[in-house]
Amino acid sequence: FCWRHQLREFSTRFRVVALDLRGCGASDKPPGRSSYGPETLLEDIRQVVEALGTPGEKGEQQPGGTRWPRGPRASRATFSASVGVPKCILVGHDWGGIFSWEFAATYPDMVEKLVIIAASHRAVMADFAAHHPTQLLRSSYVFLFQLPWLPELLLSLGDFELLRTVLTGRWLGIEAPRRRLTEQELDAYLYGLSQPRGLTPPLHYYRNLFGEGPVRLERPLAPVLLLWGARDAYLDPRLGPYLQRRLAPAARLHVLPGASHWLPEDQPDAVNRLLWDFVGTP
C-alpha cells in the first residue's frame, strides 16, 4: 500500500508487483521467531526474483515483473533479464532496504540497479550508532522490541494509538501537510497489524537482529541510488553519507529537504523523479 504512488507511476513502463514480506499484511505468518531470520527473508526475495524474472538471450532485455515485499516497511524490485539470469532493479525502504543491501551483495547477478530509501546496512548501523549517540537514541525502540509480549501489548493499546502516532505524529509521521494520511489510509495500514497475531511477526524482525553472528560488510556491485529524508525521526541524517562512504562510494546520494522517514508517502513526486532519472526517463 505504501508504494501506491510508485505503482501507478512505473506501471507505464514496467510490470509492477507489490508483495508483503512474510508475516506482514496478507502474507503467510508461520509461527516461531526462527521463521523471520534475515537469511530466510533473503531467500524469499531470491525465490521471487527467480520466479518473476524472464530469462532472455544475450544482449536482450525483456520485461519481467516487479517485487515490492512489504511491511513493516517495503521493498520493491522491477525485473528484466539477460543472458538467461533473472535480474531486477531492486528498491527497498526501511526493512526492505536492509534486506536489499544484503541481497544485492549476495546475489550480484540478480540485481541490475539498487535503490535504498532510508535504510541502513546491519553491519554499518552498529558501528555508526556506537560513535553517534543521537542514533542510539533514535533506535532505542529496537531494545524495547526485544522483550516478549510486552511490545505487542503496548502497540495495541487504545486501538493502536501508538502506531497511529508513529504514522501521523508531527515529529514521527509524514512531514508534508498535503500528504498526511487520511483516516481511510491509516486504517489500511493498521488493518493487517490488527488481525490475530498481526503484530508478532513484524516484531520478530527486530528480535532477530542480534541473534546471529557478525554480519558481513560487502559492497553491492550494482549502481546504487541512496535517498534520505533530512527530517527522518529514526535515522540520523549523517548516516546516509556514512553508508555511501562505506558501501557505495560511487552511489548517487540525495537528501530531500523537509522529508520524513516515509519518503515514498511523504514526497512521492520527488522520489518518482529521482527514480526515473536513475532507471531511465520514459
Side-chain angles (χ1 to χ4, degrees):
F1 180 73
C2 76
W3 293 107
R4 60 194 180 282
H5 305 295
Q6 290 70 41
L7 284 165
R8 286 193 294 265
E9 178 77 13
F10 290 91
S11 63
T12 60
R13 179 176 174 187
F14 300 103
R15 185 164 71 102
V16 184
V17 180
L19 300 178
D20 291 328
L21 284 171
R22 67 162 57 203
C24 304
S27 284
D28 289 345
K29 299 172 176 58
R33 173 174 161 176
S34 61
S35 298
Y36 303 94
E39 293 302 321
T40 301
L41 293 156
L42 287 175
E43 177 61 14
D44 286 348
I45 298 174
R46 188 198 65 78
Q47 290 187 21
V48 170
V49 176
E50 190 173 73
L52 295 183
T54 305
E57 300 299 326
K58 186 173 182 178
E60 178 185 3
Q61 293 291 328
Q62 297 183 357
T66 295
R67 182 194 194 281
W68 295 23
R70 159 117 163 56
R73 313 291 194 265
S75 177
R76 167 188 166 252
T78 303
F79 298 112
S80 60
S82 62
V83 203
V85 178
K87 295 179 73 71
C88 69
I89 298 170
L90 182 63
V91 184
H93 172 254
D94 199 273
W95 272 108
I98 290 172
F99 299 135
S100 295
W101 276 121
E102 297 182 44
F103 183 84
T106 306
Y107 302 102
D109 291 341
M110 302 184 83
V111 179
E112 184 178 326
K113 292 185 178 181
L114 176 66
V115 181
I116 302 292
I117 304 177
S120 182
H121 189 286
R122 288 188 294 153
V124 171
M125 175 61 96
D127 182 65
F128 182 84
H131 295 89
H132 297 82
T134 55
Q135 181 58 61
L136 204 57
L137 287 173
R138 291 170 189 251
S139 302
S140 56
Y141 63 93
V142 173
F143 301 104
L144 170 65
F145 290 170
Q146 304 306 305
L147 300 174
W149 67 262
L150 181 60
E152 284 91 333
L153 175 63
L154 293 175
L155 290 172
S156 62
L157 285 176
D159 192 23
F160 297 88
E161 185 61 32
L162 186 55
L163 283 174
R164 292 175 185 274
T165 301
V166 167
L167 292 169
T168 63
R170 297 196 58 167
W171 185 65
L172 298 175
I174 293 169
E175 289 286 336
R178 69 189 185 94
R179 294 292 183 184
R180 287 181 183 147
L181 298 178
T182 65
E183 195 63 33
Q184 292 87 351
E185 290 171 334
L186 183 59
D187 287 342
Y189 271 112
L190 294 178
Y191 176 78
L193 296 171
S194 65
Q195 300 306 301
R197 297 193 306 115
L199 282 169
T200 299
L203 287 168
H204 280 333
Y205 287 39
Y206 295 94
R207 290 164 178 156
N208 285 323
L209 268 176
F210 308 111
E212 298 184 351
V215 181
R216 295 174 62 183
L217 186 62
E218 296 181 86
R219 290 182 174 181
L221 300 181
V224 177
L225 172 66
L226 187 56
L227 303 181
W228 216 263
R231 299 189 64 180
D232 192 315
Y234 306 95
L235 299 173
D236 192 302
R238 296 170 291 181
L239 180 55
Y242 189 82
L243 283 161
Q244 182 185 32
R245 290 194 301 272
R246 295 287 302 275
L247 282 169
R252 304 183 194 181
L253 170 64
H254 294 273
V255 180
L256 280 67
S260 70
H261 181 73
W262 317 101
L263 282 172
E265 288 267 25
D266 197 330
Q267 297 200 15
D269 296 336
V271 168
N272 289 350
R273 283 195 301 270
L274 292 165
L275 286 173
W276 276 126
D277 184 55
F278 187 59
V279 304
T281 303

